[in-house]
């Protein structure tokens, strides 16, 4: 199915706030029941679906997507429900809200299977899709998030330190603290943070913060703690990538919580990047590109 034919709402559309300008991307609106998903697309070839983290949107892939596309892929970057320029009729969230949306976008675009590149919140949807519809995931690269089958330990609890503030978030409360040195090894320019947070001028996005964490992130986190995914088998090849300065997921901790991966996954590997923390896609985008391309090529 032709992508543009699936998205007439993008033609002549005025985006509010204005979309960040990045050369080479086309911007589509994919309409599925109850939601109009903004999707930024670049390149031609085998599909790579890039799922952004929180509080980010498609622009997170502004450097990474063109570099992957240059190697013969078509990179598809949707704004997930409650983020970016996507518009939904239902303000609520449940544990599968975003993965349902992602699968609906794949259906609308006629994509039977794709490579996945996911960060932070986007890794929830990527992981869920890999477990429930493995035939649709050719391989998955998961950035800054451990696999669902990880062995839970109190040593990873600092990774959840931001959640109480987001569970009680009030519209208008600044989110700039999420981009501080605890999460980004390389200081982000104010203009970069402003671009990520500009969409929070949209009431739907601002209201979604608490709903997203209460309805989706916390329930999925509880599944991780209860070991739900340790009782399932992960079939698509998965690479988990971490920054060496991502404290809660320091290399010794990650190796420990993933030590029994052969019992839970068909093919699994870890990679660690110097000079990066949680926001590895901004800290070290070239390394994310290099590792992703290598993993996709080996999986193919």
């Amino acid at each position: 199915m032709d992508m543009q034919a699936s998205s007439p709402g993008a033609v002549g559309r005025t985006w509010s706030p204005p979309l960040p300008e990045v050369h080479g991307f086309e911007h589509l609106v994919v309409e599925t029941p109850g939601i109009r998903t903004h999707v930024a697309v670049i390149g031609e070839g085998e599909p790579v679906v890039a799922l952004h983290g929180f509080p980010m949107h498609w622009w997170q892939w502004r450097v990474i997507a063109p570099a992957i596309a240059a190697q013969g892929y078509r990179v598809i970057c949707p704004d997930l429900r409650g983020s970016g320029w996507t518009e939904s009729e239902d303000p609520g969230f449940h544990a599968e809200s975003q993965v349902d949306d992602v699968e609906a976008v794949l259906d609308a675009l006629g994509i039977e299977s794709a490579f996945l590149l996911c960060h932070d919140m986007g890794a929830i949807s990527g992981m869920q899709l890999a477990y429930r519809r493995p035939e649709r995931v050719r391989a998955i690269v998961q950035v800054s998030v451990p696999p669902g089958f990880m062995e839970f330990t109190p040593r990873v609890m600092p990774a959840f330190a931001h959640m109480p503030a987001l569970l009680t978030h009030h519209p208008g409360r600044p989110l700039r603290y999420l981009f501080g040195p605890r999460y980004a090894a390389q200081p982000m320019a104010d203009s970069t943070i402003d671009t990520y947070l500009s969409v929070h001028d949209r009431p739907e996005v601002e209201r979604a913060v608490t709903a997203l964490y209460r309805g989706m992130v916390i329930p999925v986190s509880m599944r991780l703690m209860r070991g739900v995914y340790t009782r399932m088998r992960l079939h698509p090849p998965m690479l988990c990538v971490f920054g060496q300065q991502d404290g809660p997921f320091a290399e010794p901790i990650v190796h420990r919580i993933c030590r029994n991966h052969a019992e839970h996954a068909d093919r699994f590997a870890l990679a660690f990047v110097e000079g990066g923390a949680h926001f590895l896609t901004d800290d070290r985008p070239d390394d994310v590109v290099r590792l992703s391309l290598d993993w996709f090529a080996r999986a193919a």
Side-chain angles (χ1 to χ4, degrees):
M1 181 184 296
D2 179 73
M3 290 187 180
Q4 191 65 39
S6 302
S7 50
V11 178
R13 183 184 179 100
T14 299
W15 302 93
S16 180
L19 291 170
E21 293 186 10
V22 185
H23 177 72
F25 282 90
E26 59 178 323
H27 295 276
L28 318 176
V29 174
V30 177
E31 299 195 14
T32 55
I35 187 168
R36 293 171 294 280
T37 301
H38 165 251
V39 184
V41 184
I42 188 169
E44 297 293 339
E46 293 295 323
V48 175
V49 177
L51 304 177
H52 64 81
F54 177 90
M56 302 160 116
H57 42 71
W58 73 273
W59 191 72
Q60 178 176 12
W61 309 110
R62 65 196 179 279
V63 176
I64 292 168
I68 291 176
Q71 299 302 313
Y73 294 92
R74 187 159 180 81
V75 188
I76 300 151
C77 311
D79 282 337
L80 298 170
R81 178 184 293 259
S83 304
W85 287 262
T86 288
E87 301 172 346
S88 59
E89 297 174 5
D90 184 356
F93 284 81
H94 56 78
E96 282 82 30
S97 287
Q98 289 185 346
V99 68
D100 289 346
D101 296 338
V102 170
E103 191 163 6
V105 167
L106 294 179
D107 291 341
L109 299 181
I111 298 172
E112 294 183 2
S113 65
F115 298 103
L116 297 187
L117 173 56
C118 316
H119 174 256
D120 185 75
M121 175 185 71
I124 294 176
S125 299
M127 175 190 69
Q128 289 173 325
L129 186 63
Y131 274 108
R132 83 180 190 184
R133 296 296 301 275
E135 73 279 5
R136 304 203 74 164
V137 180
R138 297 183 63 179
I140 179 171
V141 175
Q142 197 159 284
V143 182
S144 303
V145 177
F149 59 77
M150 73 173 189
E151 297 180 20
F152 189 80
T153 168
R155 295 183 68 185
V156 304
M157 286 304 293
F160 301 91
H162 60 290
M163 285 192 181
L166 294 173
L167 287 169
T168 58
H169 178 79
H170 298 294
R173 180 187 294 175
L175 292 172
R176 299 184 76 86
Y177 67 91
L178 292 173
F179 297 95
R182 180 173 184 171
Y183 302 102
Q186 313 298 326
M188 285 194 195
D190 287 341
S191 59
T192 299
I193 299 173
D194 290 342
T195 301
Y196 280 132
L197 296 181
S198 64
V199 291
H200 283 264
D201 290 339
R202 293 184 56 221
E204 177 180 342
V205 173
E206 185 68 355
R207 288 195 301 266
V209 173
T210 299
L212 167 68
Y213 271 80
R214 291 181 178 178
M216 190 185 83
V217 177
I218 292 298
V220 174
S221 298
M222 294 304 297
R223 291 179 183 179
L224 291 171
M225 294 179 189
R226 295 197 306 268
V228 169
Y229 295 102
T230 65
R231 298 187 290 274
M232 303 169 68
R233 185 77 182 175
L234 180 67
H235 296 294
M238 174 181 281
L239 172 68
C240 287
V241 184
F242 297 88
Q244 292 278 18
Q245 294 173 237
D246 191 351
F249 296 120
E251 187 168 350
I253 297 175
V254 173
H255 278 294
R256 181 182 183 279
I257 65 178
C258 298
R259 59 186 172 181
N260 295 320
H261 61 84
E263 298 177 9
H264 306 292
D266 290 357
R267 185 175 175 187
F268 178 79
L270 294 167
F272 298 88
V273 176
E274 293 184 6
H278 179 76
F279 286 122
L280 191 60
T281 52
D282 277 82
D283 283 336
R284 306 291 293 185
D286 292 347
D287 287 297
V288 174
V289 170
R290 173 180 57 82
L291 291 165
S292 298
L293 288 172
D294 178 69
W295 192 250
F296 297 158
R298 286 197 280 162

